Amino acid sequence: MNGSEPISRRRLLTGAAAAAGGAAATSLLGACNAGSSGGSGGKVTLTVMFSAADLPKESIADFEAKNPGIKINLLEFDATRLNAMLASGNPPDITIGAAVGSANTNARGLATDLTPYLEKSRVLRKEDLQPVNNSFRWDGRRIGQGAYHGIVKDWSQDATLWYNTALFDQAKVPYLSDSQPTDYDELLAIAKRLTVRQGGRTKVFGLGVEWAWTLYGPIATMILQQGAQLYNGDLTEVDLTTAAARRAFGWFVDFGRSGVGPTSLNPLPDGSDQSTFSAERMAITQDGYFFGGNFVKDKALSGRVRMAPAPIMGDKRVSPCYSGQGAWIPVKAKHKDEAWKFMEYYMAGPPAETRAKSGWGLPSLKSLLPKLPQDLPYQKQAYSVAQRELQYLAPLPDSPYITVDGWNVTLDKHLQRAIKNQQSVDAACASVTTEINRLLKQGKERIG
């Protein structure tokens, strides 16, 4: 993340998800004037909509120096503005977006097929792409195969755990395994032992699950880990009344009722576990490899943190990526060849090496994995855990007819009601099924 804070990562995830679902219904807002144009002196002006934190001035200057015929026009990523530009037919030449959830964008024909570029590139090669990039693939019906419509820039297996050994020692709780996954029920029991309450308030949370970031990711993962499926064959319907779905949903209800960690009923002020964990007021947080970037400069805390494998519910180990931030080129971009040059530079050039060396996420390219930091003991430990986790990566199901935001809003609403005993788990799962299927039907009608 080039040193950007995790909360910025979450804000970008939310914005990208909103952009995926909103372009068709957004007013133009006068944003069409921000699109690509020819530059002065024969230069091409390439409009790049990224977060400024992800594209510092130094990288822009370096790219322009290496490509003297191209000038970068950086637009700060904004979902509303992107929607307006897409709807106007005058989009940026390249923009940021998540691989998980890209099915909606691809089904609507908004993203360029990058496969012809990949087949000719000497810089970005298909055989060097990490499997997480398969979530950007689309064959006309589902993700995971067919053409590439984006490239991931950095990513993590987001169900993994980070924990504070000092808080484990204080509670006399054994450390989590570096190689074997903890069962979710056992994890909740451990979290209860680690939670410290004093004077009517929670002094130390036992476990954070980044509730404000995503609920869809972990619940979908839990269902996969039990060997069950979330969607039907054509991704048009779901059934959360199955035993596997009820167990996953019920775990989050138990988590909320136990008070061991923040929820939307008891949220953290900044919507992220990071500051609470760094203040040593949270013993475990469910975050990906990228989370380790927080501790490089904190010598005291870096000596007390460790990473553990993704927990498991069932018999099948699945350690997914919930997002996979990357970039894509809109179909109506005016300078696709120049955008691809920028894609090569950003995904395989100096910015990619810098991101890998920083430890703010795993690189998109297999060849860059050795660049990950291993100078500090906790970095070596996290690197080893992350390497072992790679074999358990599996894509989350992604229907083109609904956004991740649509899932999260619906799940949160009914989890709140179940936690407050306003409805049973079975009733909540039935309500989620009805509401998600309604959204899926509406989405399919819009796309056709």
Side-chain angles (χ1 to χ4, degrees):
M1 293 298 295
N2 289 332
S4 59
E5 292 296 326
I7 185 64
S8 298
R9 183 186 187 100
R10 281 149 181 73
R11 191 158 51 241
L12 182 59
L13 290 175
T14 302
T26 305
S27 64
L28 302 189
L29 300 178
C32 56
N33 292 329
S36 313
S37 64
S40 60
K43 286 189 176 183
V44 167
T45 298
L46 189 72
T47 300
V48 178
M49 183 177 271
F50 270 39
S51 164
D54 283 330
L55 187 59
K57 294 179 180 179
E58 295 80 5
S59 293
I60 293 175
D62 184 47
F63 176 80
E64 290 179 340
K66 292 173 178 174
N67 298 272
I70 305 174
K71 178 177 175 57
I72 296 293
N73 172 32
L74 176 63
L75 302 181
E76 181 68 22
F77 181 85
D78 178 86
T80 300
R81 190 177 188 184
L82 176 59
N83 287 335
M85 295 174 74
L86 289 167
S88 74
N90 194 21
D93 292 301
I94 186 170
T95 187
I96 209 73
V100 179
S102 63
N104 183 273
T105 301
N106 297 331
R108 288 161 48 217
L110 296 176
T112 297
D113 177 0
L114 302 180
T115 311
Y117 288 104
L118 277 168
E119 290 174 346
K120 295 178 182 178
S121 179
R122 297 181 180 179
V123 178
L124 284 172
R125 295 171 290 105
K126 285 192 287 186
E127 59 269 23
D128 194 28
L129 295 178
Q130 291 276 17
V132 69
N133 286 281
N134 289 334
S135 288
F136 262 132
R137 298 179 71 182
W138 178 251
D139 66 358
R141 296 189 309 114
R142 61 185 66 246
I143 65 161
Q145 52 194 16
Y148 288 85
H149 289 82
I151 304 292
V152 172
K153 70 178 183 69
D154 52 33
W155 64 291
S156 290
Q157 288 170 271
D158 296 301
T160 53
L161 304 170
W162 286 85
Y163 64 100
N164 185 319
T165 58
L167 296 178
F168 272 64
D169 290 341
Q170 290 173 19
K172 296 182 171 54
V173 174
Y175 296 164
L176 303 178
S177 171
D178 285 1
S179 58
Q180 296 303 310
T182 304
D183 177 83
Y184 265 106
D185 291 338
E186 181 186 357
L187 180 64
L188 187 56
I190 290 171
K192 291 176 181 178
R193 294 176 62 188
L194 292 165
T195 300
V196 179
R197 296 182 177 89
Q198 192 175 74
R201 63 184 293 270
T202 302
K203 183 178 179 182
V204 176
F205 289 110
L207 172 65
V209 293
E210 297 289 12
W211 190 289
W213 178 15
T214 182
L215 292 163
Y216 171 74
I219 288 178
T221 301
M222 290 171 171
I223 293 171
L224 292 179
Q225 289 176 336
Q226 296 174 75
Q229 297 297 318
L230 180 58
Y231 286 98
N232 65 353
D234 62 2
L235 305 174
T236 59
E237 291 184 353
V238 298
D239 183 3
L240 271 81
T241 67
T242 65
R246 294 199 314 273
R247 182 181 177 190
F249 190 93
W251 187 90
F252 272 87
V253 174
D254 291 342
F255 174 88
R257 288 175 179 171
S258 71
V260 300
T263 70
S264 55
L265 293 170
N266 179 31
L268 295 173
D270 58 3
S272 166
D273 288 357
Q274 189 270 320
S275 58
T276 302
F277 185 88
S278 293
E280 303 194 74
R281 292 191 53 244
M282 181 179 286
I284 311 171
T285 178
Q286 188 164 43
D287 274 288
Y289 175 85
F290 78 91
F291 198 73
N294 288 297
F295 314 119
V296 175
K297 297 180 181 179
D298 190 334
K299 293 183 179 179
L301 189 56
S302 69
R304 297 194 285 273
V305 297
R306 294 179 69 85
M307 185 177 169
I312 192 168
M313 181 175 286
D315 299 322
K316 183 179 180 181
R317 286 189 70 171
V318 175
S319 185
C321 175
Y322 293 161
S323 172
Q325 281 297 298
W328 57 284
I329 299 173
V331 163
K332 294 187 178 180
K334 292 182 174 61
H335 302 298
K336 293 182 182 179
D337 290 348
E338 290 82 3
W340 178 255
K341 285 185 179 181
F342 178 81
M343 183 82 82
E344 289 182 320
Y345 170 80
Y346 191 74
M347 299 302 183
E353 290 199 18
T354 298
R355 289 194 302 274
K357 291 176 181 178
S358 74
W360 284 97
L362 299 170
S364 177
L365 305 183
K366 299 172 185 176
S367 57
L368 289 177
L369 278 174
K371 302 285 186 181
L372 292 172
Q374 299 183 62
D375 297 330
L376 301 174
Y378 91 91
Q379 291 175 325
K380 290 182 180 179
Q381 188 268 343
Y383 179 85
S384 296
V385 172
Q387 292 295 301
R388 284 191 292 269
E389 278 298 276
L390 287 173
Q391 63 186 301
Y392 303 111
L393 177 68
L396 291 180
D398 187 4
S399 171
Y401 309 122
I402 191 171
T403 65
V404 174
D405 272 0
W407 266 105
N408 287 335
V409 170
T410 304
L411 287 167
D412 182 61
K413 177 175 67 175
H414 290 288
L415 279 169
Q416 286 193 28
R417 291 176 180 175
I419 291 168
K420 293 188 291 185
N421 290 307
Q422 294 175 350
Q423 61 182 166
S424 66
V425 168
D426 285 354
C429 287
S431 295
V432 172
T433 298
T434 299
E435 293 184 24
I436 293 296
N437 283 336
R438 185 183 303 123
L439 292 175
L440 286 164
K441 182 180 179 182
Q442 293 170 353
K444 190 173 190 310
E445 288 172 350
R446 283 195 298 266
I447 293 175

